[in-house]
């Protein structure tokens, strides 16, 4: 079975890390977290998984 | 009396002879293939097959069903979906733009530098050309990873004597900033490969017959005139070769960016196209999208080298 546990863990870390690295060129951490949420959801869907955003 | 037997008899050897000739002809046509078979098998297995496998993988889509993929893994034809995803990824497209900019600046600088060094070392007034040739070539023997670690000691604030020295005269330099880190990588690459390219140019310079130099000297040509009208036109093939190698090398940038990631916040996980393909394959397990990225990188290298060769050929004819 070639399936990794929590399929996008590494990708989520990379998305957050790449976003936080943009702090050097002026993007704020808060903006990064908001953008990362969307990107992680896209990554889930690209893997054929379902994901929905919880409403607070 | 025995006419029937006489006419029948010679027919048998004739048929045998025809069979033997056919056999011989078949042996002659198949012998080269038998002799070539070991080479062809290895060539197909190690050269053709990986390319076909990568291209095939870039057109494949793997679908897993069930919570953990336990109810079946199904692969099918994806069309250009993987290519669309690779090109739809802003970071990957940005990385291609980044290395194109890198190549447009770094390759001409390096080729000019290696040509000047080669001409200086091959000029009659050069002191200790053997020593300097070896010294300039030495960085090529340092692996890219080690070269990057070495240079990062000169880039990282707090470690770098260069940053300290600049600070003491009131200058603030940041070698690892978002706008400067690409040129810091260019510096490492230039340091590593100028000596190697210089050796290729020197080899071509050594192939110029001495009669040409003697004739130039008789005509009263000075060293600059000799360099400009004799040496530069005659080392053109070496310059074309080194430029094509450098263009391909630019698209293969990987180790420098990956190592600098740990010290430079501006280098992300998809800084160069190769780093992007690596991350997509081994961090995201998207092997098919990574294959599409790899095919796109190879296509870009092919198109750029081909365009450059066409451009230089047209200019020479």
């Amino acid at each position: 079975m070639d399936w990794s546990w929590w399929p996008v863990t590494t990708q989520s870390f990379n998305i957050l890390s790449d976003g936080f690295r943009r702090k050097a060129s002026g993007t704020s951490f808060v903006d990064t977290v908001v953008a990362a949420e969307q990107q992680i959801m896209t990554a889930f869907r690209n893997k054929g998984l379902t994901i929905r955003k919880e409403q607070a | 009396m025995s006419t029937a037997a006489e006419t029948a008899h010679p027919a048998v050897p004739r048929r045998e002879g025809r069979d033997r000739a056919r056999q011989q002809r078949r042996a002659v046509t198949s012998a080269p293939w038998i002799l070539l078979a070991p080479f062809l098998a290895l060539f197909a297995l190690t050269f053709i097959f990986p390319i076909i496998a990568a291209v095939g993988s870039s057109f494949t889509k793997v679908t897993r069903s069930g919570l953990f993929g336990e109810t079946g893994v199904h692969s099918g034809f994806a069309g250009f979906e993987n290519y669309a995803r690779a090109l739809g990824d802003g970071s990957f497209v940005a990385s291609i733009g980044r290395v194109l900019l890198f190549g447009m600046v770094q390759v001409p600088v390096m080729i000019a530098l290696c040509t000047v060094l080669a001409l200086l070392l091959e000029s009659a007034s050069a002191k200790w050309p053997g020593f300097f040739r070896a010294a300039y070539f030495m960085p090529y023997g340092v692996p890219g990873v080690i070269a990057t670690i070495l240079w990062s000691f000169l880039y990282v604030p707090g470690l770098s004597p260069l940053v300290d020295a600049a600070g003491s005269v009131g200058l603030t330099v940041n070698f690892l900033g978002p706008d400067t880190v690409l040129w810091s990588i260019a510096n490492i690459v230039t340091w590593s490969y100028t000596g190697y390219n210089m050796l290729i140019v020197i080899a071509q310079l050594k192939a110029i017959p001495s009669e040409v130099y003697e004739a130039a000297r008789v005509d009263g040509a000075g060293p600059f005139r000799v360099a400009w009208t004799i040496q530069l036109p005659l080392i053109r093939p070496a310059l074309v070769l080194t430029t094509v190698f450098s263009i391909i090398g630019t698209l293969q940038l990987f180790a420098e960016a990956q190592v600098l990631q740990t010290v430079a916040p501006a280098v992300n996980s998809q800084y160069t196209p190769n780093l992007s393909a690596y991350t997509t394959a081994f961090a995201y397990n998207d092997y098919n999208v990574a294959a599409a990225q790899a095919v796109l990188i190879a296509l870009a290298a092919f198109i750029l080298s081909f365009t450059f060769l066409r451009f230089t050929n047209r200019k020479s004819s």
Side-chain angles (χ1 to χ4, degrees), chain A residues 1-5 7 10-12 14-15 18 20-22 24-25 43 46-49, chain B residues 64 67-70 73 85 178 261-262 264-270 279 283-286:
Chain A
M1 194 160 64
D2 51 346
W3 186 263
S4 44
W5 180 248
T10 331
Q11 194 160 4
S12 310
N14 271 359
I15 286 168
D18 287 353
F20 290 155
R21 280 167 188 275
R22 251 178 255 133
S25 47
N46 282 343
K47 282 234 188 302
L49 301 164
Chain B
R64 295 175 180 83
L67 191 55
F68 303 106
E70 77 279 5
V73 179
R85 266 179 63 193
Q261 237 180 12
T262 49
V267 180
N268 62 24
S269 64
Q270 292 182 298
T279 307
Y284 304 166
N285 297 325
D286 265 341

Side-chain angles (χ1 to χ4, degrees), chain B residues 143-204:
Chain B
V145 172
I146 307 299
T148 311
I149 294 173
L150 224 142
W151 273 99
S152 63
F153 284 116
L154 298 174
Y155 288 157
V156 177
L159 283 176
S160 161
L162 294 179
V163 176
D164 289 347
S168 66
V169 293
L171 282 172
T172 327
V173 288
N174 183 6
F175 292 117
L176 304 170
D179 302 322
T180 47
V181 72
L182 189 65
W183 310 117
S184 300
I185 295 175
N187 176 51
I188 301 173
V189 173
T190 310
W191 180 77
S192 297
Y193 292 100
T194 302
Y196 169 76
N197 290 323
M198 180 199 74
L199 270 198
I200 298 178
V201 174
I202 284 183
Q204 182 97 63

